[in-house]
Amino acid sequence: LHAISPVSLPSPVAPLEAPVTIPAREGELRAILHRPPVDPPREAFLFLGGWSGDRQGPHRLFLRFARRLAEAGHLCLRMDYRGRGESDGAVAEAGIGTMVDDAAAAVDWLREQLPASTSITLVAICSGCKVALGTTVRQPGIHRLVLWSAEVMGSLRAGDTNLRKTLGALRA
């Protein structure tokens, strides 16, 4: 009888998650970068939260989706806007315009990390959908938008919806 040695199979490489700092117009943005186990990545995804959201997303939706995308070979960046989460700045000074500035800075940073041919997709929820649209106007070459729970823009919204949203924000 011959002893059979176990075959050593390569263990799958898990995607890497690391905190990163992104220079922005007003201080620094904090984010988590999910690197896939392949190089170069197939595509890059930037996650854009809503008005009061952070880089986790509601019910950790962004975190879970970014991990799945990274396992599939995509690079993902989950960022906090200025004044939110761990990023610099005051939320009182924030608006959709400053959120677009922050997202545009994140796109610039992503492009510096990637081969020029890598496409970038913006994944956004709620008010982040407005940010995604504004960012796409300022950053030509965004490959696609994934818009979840997109809001009706400002004056097109019913008055009672505006009141409910304002009261909800005050409670939060």
Side-chain angles (χ1 to χ4, degrees):
L1 294 173
H2 297 284
I4 301 173
S5 62
V7 177
S8 84
L9 297 173
S11 60
V13 177
L16 302 173
E17 295 177 23
V20 295
T21 301
I22 300 166
R25 183 182 287 176
E26 302 288 329
E28 295 178 329
L29 306 174
R30 305 304 188 288
I32 300 294
L33 183 67
H34 298 256
R35 286 199 180 277
V38 298
D39 192 34
R42 293 185 176 100
E43 186 173 354
F45 289 79
L46 172 61
F47 289 80
L48 302 171
W51 183 261
S52 60
D54 64 10
R55 64 184 179 226
Q56 302 293 326
H59 307 287
R60 297 168 43 101
L61 178 67
F62 287 170
L63 172 65
R64 293 192 321 257
F65 191 37
R67 285 179 173 166
R68 288 211 175 166
L69 287 168
E71 288 171 2
H74 306 289
L75 184 126
C76 298
L77 183 66
R78 298 181 297 111
M79 59 169 270
D80 286 329
Y81 300 113
R82 75 183 76 178
R84 294 170 179 86
E86 297 177 355
S87 290
D88 294 345
V91 73
E93 299 167 4
I96 295 296
T98 63
M99 293 162 74
V100 170
D101 291 342
D102 295 347
V107 169
D108 286 339
W109 185 88
L110 267 174
R111 286 187 171 141
E112 291 172 6
Q113 314 306 309
L114 298 165
S117 63
T118 308
S119 61
I120 297 175
T121 292
L122 305 181
V123 179
I125 194 162
C126 202
S127 295
C129 296
K130 296 175 188 176
V131 175
L133 292 171
T135 303
T136 302
V137 169
R138 290 196 21 207
Q139 292 281 355
I142 298 295
H143 181 65
R144 75 179 132 219
L145 303 177
V146 177
L147 306 176
W148 294 331
S149 192
E151 297 181 312
V152 175
M153 301 295 241
S155 63
L156 300 177
R157 202 174 14 205
D160 61 332
T161 301
N162 283 333
L163 180 59
R164 275 195 319 276
K165 288 185 75 56
T166 300
L167 290 174
L170 288 172
R171 276 188 226 107

